[in-house]
Structures are given as C-alpha cells and as structure tokens.
Amino acid sequence: MCLTVMVTFLFTVFIFFIVIGCEAKQESRPDCAYIFLLGAKVDGETPSDALQSRIDVAYAYLLKNKNTIAVCTGGKGNDEAISEGQCAANTLMKMGISRERLLVENRSATTVENLRFAMDLIGNPSGMHIGIVTSDYHMFRAKIILSGYTNAVIEGIPTKSNSFLLPHYVLREYITFWVDLLLGNIRLK
C-alpha cells in the first residue's frame, strides 16, 4: 500500500513537471490587450531577482507591443517598504514605460488575489488576449486560476527560472496546485 502511494505520488509529480515544462515553452502572442505582471518579493524598495526577471520580461513585451497595458500586481509584505505592484510599476517607469500604460494592484497577498484583483481593475474583456508574466514553473497554475475569472484568451509570458532550484519550485507548485484545487481557487471547466 505504502509503495503504491509513493509510486502514484512520484508519477503525478513527474507528469506535473512535464506539464509545467510544456507551459513554459509556449510562445506568447503579440498584442495582448493587457499583461498581468505577477508580484514577487521586494527588498526594501528594490525588486528581488525573481521580480526583476518578471519586470525585464514585461518590459521587453511592452517595447514590442505599444498598445498593451501592464497590470503590476502584488501587495506589501511586513518586511517590504512598498508593495510589489508599486515596485514593478516604478521600475518599469524608470526603464521608460509611460505611466499611462501601467495599472497597479497593491492589495493582494496570493496568486489568486493577484489575478482576481487585476481582473477587477480591467473588467472582463471577453475575447481579448491577456498575458501573464510570471516564472516558468508558476505559469500552469496561474493560467488555470485566471481562466476561472474570465473568458479572455490567456497567454503565458514566462521568465526562466534557476535550473538548479527548479525541482524545488515544481514540488512547491504541485502542492500548492492541490491546495488551491481543494480550496476552490481552481475552477476546472
């Protein structure tokens, strides 16, 4: 019995790893109406490496897609001087993106809230394309969560993660996926 449970667990983690890998390699569509830049830790007022990589990917996308509006998401943790969303917006403005192309969501504490509150800011643009900028290992869960809030076409715009830490990230995402599913945060259609 114990061996069966262990083999089943390892098999599902392996399948999850493959699915995450496939999501991370997809090419994003140009001209999304909006991109949601998901927050990550802020060190004082400086983006962490994870947040900076998301900002860099969003910046490159915004340069190529002049009509796209970025929604920078993420609340303020106890150890952060400013919210993750504001930090991302500030950094993008320093890089030359105009304030008119940026919306800030600064109340969220989880991925579910990032996406739900971002949708609150833009309404429900049915049929439009919305891109999600997040880490490659996080893309699968983020797209599934967002699909529960909109009929828009969801595009992944992933950042590349540290290969050495990827197994740790994937295992964490696997566990969080099941927790979100059990809590009703993931609505399978």
Side-chain angles (χ1 to χ4, degrees):
M1 174 71 174
C2 186
L3 181 61
T4 303
V5 170
M6 183 61 110
V7 168
T8 303
F9 172 75
L10 291 174
F11 179 74
T12 59
V13 169
F14 177 72
I15 297 299
F16 196 76
F17 197 96
I18 291 170
V19 169
I20 285 176
C22 292
E23 283 291 331
K25 293 188 184 335
Q26 292 182 355
E27 290 294 317
S28 59
R29 181 184 192 282
D31 291 324
C32 287
Y34 297 93
I35 58 172
F36 294 170
L37 192 166
L38 300 190
K41 180 144 180 53
V42 173
D43 298 315
E45 294 189 18
T46 305
S48 62
D49 290 343
L51 183 55
Q52 186 63 56
S53 68
R54 294 174 189 185
I55 292 168
D56 292 341
V57 167
Y59 175 73
Y61 190 91
L62 291 167
L63 283 182
K64 292 179 187 171
N65 300 280
K66 301 294 184 189
N67 295 318
T68 301
I69 295 172
V71 181
C72 302
T73 70
K76 178 184 169 304
N78 293 334
D79 59 343
E80 297 172 329
I82 60 174
S83 72
E84 297 163 3
Q86 191 61 60
C87 180
N90 291 350
T91 305
L92 285 167
M93 285 188 287
K94 286 177 189 170
M95 296 169 89
I97 302 299
S98 71
R99 177 71 183 111
E100 293 75 34
R101 296 182 66 200
L102 302 172
L103 298 173
V104 176
E105 178 287 307
N106 57 12
R107 301 179 297 142
S108 60
T110 66
T111 300
V112 172
E113 290 178 350
N114 287 156
L115 297 167
R116 190 177 73 213
F117 297 162
M119 286 303 299
D120 290 346
L121 286 175
I122 69 166
N124 195 349
S126 187
M128 286 187 176
H129 289 258
I130 298 174
I132 300 176
V133 179
T134 191
S135 304
D136 49 8
Y137 64 86
H138 191 228
M139 188 61 67
F140 173 71
R141 186 167 60 94
K143 286 174 73 174
I144 287 179
I145 292 168
L146 183 57
S147 71
Y149 293 102
T150 184
N151 290 325
V153 178
I154 302 166
E155 305 288 341
I157 308 169
T159 66
K160 184 101 173 95
S161 297
N162 179 327
S163 298
F164 179 74
L165 294 174
L166 193 58
H168 163 77
Y169 294 144
V170 170
L171 184 58
R172 187 177 71 187
E173 279 297 302
Y174 175 82
I175 293 166
T176 307
F177 172 83
W178 287 107
V179 169
D180 276 344
L181 190 63
L182 292 170
L183 292 175
N185 294 330
I186 293 176
R187 302 172 190 156
L188 300 176
K189 293 180 181 181

